[in-house]
Amino acid sequence: MATNTPFEVISHTRKVCSLYKRMTRNLQAYYHDRARFRYEATLLRAEFDKHKDEKDMIKATRLLKKAEQDLYANLHYQPIKFPSSPGGVAYDRNAIIPDDALDFWDPVEKAFYPKYFALREQRKKEYMELWQKKYGKVDPKQYEEHH
């Protein structure tokens, strides 16, 4: 069951930093000329710095909410998305192949890399010995009961 309950409390400072970053990325989508973008980003930073020492949390929360609304009202129609970020064209494209896939290689294929596979077998034996030393040997009867 999915809920919208937050798993952690996000501090006001983190919310402001996140908003600043999102607003800066939004500016970057609007201004492709680097000089113009830096000018607009400097103005944005000056606006944030004007209120950085605000002690009244009610006023600070109102400012944050107003800035969120301004961002939403001025969102670029085609925001910048990095290729590997969520929503990017290359997001989640790298398949992670499990290490045990190498155990299914044909012996002819393994023959091309004899040193690697010899070392791999040695490391597997060392790992099994460490595991058995820490947890003990597996009793086949106990394993069959559970599976």
Side-chain angles (χ1 to χ4, degrees), residues 45-129:
R45 180 60 189 243
E47 192 65 30
F48 271 77
D49 285 344
K50 189 172 20 174
H51 301 289
K52 74 177 181 181
D53 295 322
E54 184 61 54
K55 300 292 182 210
D56 183 9
M57 282 308 293
I58 295 172
K59 185 176 179 187
T61 305
R62 283 188 190 136
L63 286 167
L64 181 66
K65 190 172 182 179
K66 169 121 176 46
E68 288 273 2
Q69 290 169 348
D70 289 346
L71 173 63
Y72 184 73
N74 296 318
L75 277 177
H76 193 269
Y77 65 94
Q78 190 174 5
I80 293 176
K81 295 216 184 269
F82 294 105
S84 298
S85 298
V89 295
Y91 179 66
D92 229 4
R93 277 201 185 171
N94 297 337
I96 298 171
I97 300 168
D99 183 60
D100 63 347
L102 292 172
D103 294 334
F104 298 102
W105 275 29
D106 190 75
V108 175
E109 294 173 315
K110 289 181 180 181
F112 285 109
Y113 309 98
K115 289 180 185 175
Y116 174 80
F117 281 100
L119 184 62
R120 178 178 160 73
E121 289 302 317
Q122 179 187 345
R123 297 281 188 252
K124 282 171 48 178
K125 285 178 187 172
E126 290 171 3
Y127 179 79
M128 290 298 292
E129 288 169 5

Side-chain angles (χ1 to χ4, degrees), residues 27-46:
L27 283 175
Q28 198 174 14
Y30 274 108
Y31 303 106
H32 298 290
D33 176 36
R34 180 82 178 155
R36 177 66 186 203
F37 162 68
R38 289 304 312 146
Y39 174 75
E40 294 295 334
T42 305
L43 293 178
L44 176 67
R45 180 60 189 243

